[in-house]
Amino acid sequence: CLPGFNLNDPFQSTSSLPTASLTSPPTTKAKKQMTTNAIILYLMNYAHFIVKAKANIEIATTLYQKALQLGSDHPSLLANYAHFLMTYHEETGSKKGHALHEAQNYFERALKAVPNNIQWILWYAKCLKRSHKVAQAELMYRVAVDKSSGQSRMEPIAICNYGTFIFNHRKDTTKAMA
């Protein structure tokens, strides 16, 4: 599921945002970077809205591509665009294999920048599973379970996803129930 976006979302990467001290005003470069990030977030939100409310994949694709032109290294944008490709381009059947391959590349770039984002790891695992890369998908589900240990919100989600994967793909009910 693609969560809504907002500036306070814990999954949004702030590593690319400039920091400024409270005593000095931001530099021109910092202001420009903050404006660019705000536009990227706006485009992501709007693309998400267009898909959910209007079911218009073409417009959403255009919005994501415009955001990528502004910030091709923005981790949240990379992960959410990958999720979009995996989910909606696969459903429409348009170049299914190509969309999944492209989604994998975007997930890899996002996770390289923010390796501990459990939600993105789970999305990537699902993408690998859909690409019939079962061993790699299982590894990513395990990584999600390991990294989510002790997190009250994400640990049950990671465990549930991994258990379902094991049950459906490995037919190992003992391991799935552990």
Side-chain angles (χ1 to χ4, degrees), residues 8 17 29-30 43 63 69 72 75 78-79 93 110 132 136 140:
N8 296 320
L17 294 175
K29 183 178 178 182
L43 290 170
L63 290 167
Q69 289 173 357
S72 63
L78 296 171
H132 307 291
Q136 289 175 308
M140 293 312 296

Side-chain angles (χ1 to χ4, degrees), residues 41-81:
L41 291 174
Y42 171 77
L43 290 170
M44 285 192 317
N45 279 320
Y46 193 50
H48 180 71
F49 168 77
I50 290 294
V51 167
K52 293 294 185 181
K54 306 283 185 185
N56 194 324
I57 294 169
E58 291 80 22
I59 291 175
T61 301
T62 301
L63 290 167
Y64 274 117
Q65 289 172 347
K66 187 58 146 173
L68 284 167
Q69 289 173 357
L70 292 172
S72 63
D73 60 345
H74 192 283
S76 184
L77 173 60
L78 296 171
N80 285 290
Y81 183 55

Side-chain angles (χ1 to χ4, degrees), residues 80-94:
N80 285 290
Y81 183 55
H83 185 265
F84 167 77
L85 286 172
M86 173 184 74
T87 304
Y88 296 103
H89 282 274
E90 183 183 42
E91 287 177 4
T92 62
S94 63

Side-chain angles (χ1 to χ4, degrees), residues 111-128:
L111 288 169
K112 185 175 182 181
V114 184
N116 293 325
N117 190 304
I118 309 307
Q119 184 67 53
W120 299 351
I121 294 169
L122 291 170
W123 287 348
Y124 182 45
K126 188 175 187 177
C127 183
L128 291 167

